[in-house]
Amino acid sequence: MEHKSHMQSSEDYLKALFLLQRKTPHIRPTDLAIQMGYTKPSISRAISMLQKDGLITRDREGYICLTEKGTLAAENVYERHCFFMERLVAAGIAPDIAEKEACRMEHAISEESFEKLKRMRNK
């Protein structure tokens, strides 16, 4: 099993929350566990970490919501994911393989390199 850094793990949770939030404004920890395929204890630890980092809030009912900071970070990760997914599929990579590789690539590239790649696409 591949070990993920704190930042990579946080980005995965943020991306999952971002996608869930597009479907419903009321996200429960259980929804996140199902979306990511993780156990409830893993989700609880992640929620605590994301709250501590100011990326999410929880209301009195326990629903999770991305903060403005969390939303910006999630949008950035999702943009990277879509960018790499599109390129890989366009290059003839099978969608299931492209999905897995895009997930790895979205974390591995610097912001500067990503911006330069996006500019190349637009030329």
Side-chain angles (χ1 to χ4, degrees):
M1 185 175 164
E2 185 179 319
H3 178 71
K4 293 184 177 185
S5 70
H6 168 75
M7 184 173 144
Q8 183 176 351
S9 180
S10 293
E11 289 177 346
D12 287 340
Y13 282 103
L14 291 172
K15 184 174 66 174
L17 285 166
F18 178 74
L19 293 173
L20 282 168
Q21 198 167 283
R22 291 171 68 176
K23 296 177 190 174
T24 179
H26 303 292
I27 303 166
R28 299 166 301 165
T30 305
D31 300 325
L32 187 57
I34 292 167
Q35 172 87 3
M36 299 189 75
Y38 293 165
T39 64
K40 288 181 185 178
S42 294
I43 296 298
S44 293
R45 283 190 299 276
I47 288 170
S48 294
M49 177 182 62
L50 294 170
Q51 278 184 289
K52 188 175 117 194
D53 292 343
L55 300 168
I56 64 167
T57 59
R58 289 187 71 184
D59 65 17
R60 286 184 294 181
E61 289 80 35
Y63 292 116
I64 304 164
C65 186
L66 290 166
T67 62
E68 184 176 341
K69 178 181 173 184
T71 299
L72 290 172
E75 287 173 341
N76 184 284
V77 175
Y78 187 64
E79 177 186 23
R80 290 171 181 234
H81 179 84
C82 292
F83 177 88
F84 290 117
M85 180 74 183
E86 289 170 8
R87 293 310 128 328
L88 292 167
V89 169
I93 308 297
D96 59 328
I97 295 170
E99 176 70 27
K100 291 174 188 168
E101 291 182 353
C103 285
R104 289 194 301 269
M105 294 169 82
E106 70 197 31
H107 304 295
I109 191 168
S110 70
E111 186 63 32
E112 180 182 353
S113 294
F114 181 63
E115 289 302 319
K116 287 180 179 182
L117 286 173
K118 284 193 321 186
R119 281 196 298 271
M120 276 185 55
R121 174 186 67 182
N122 295 329
K123 287 185 177 181

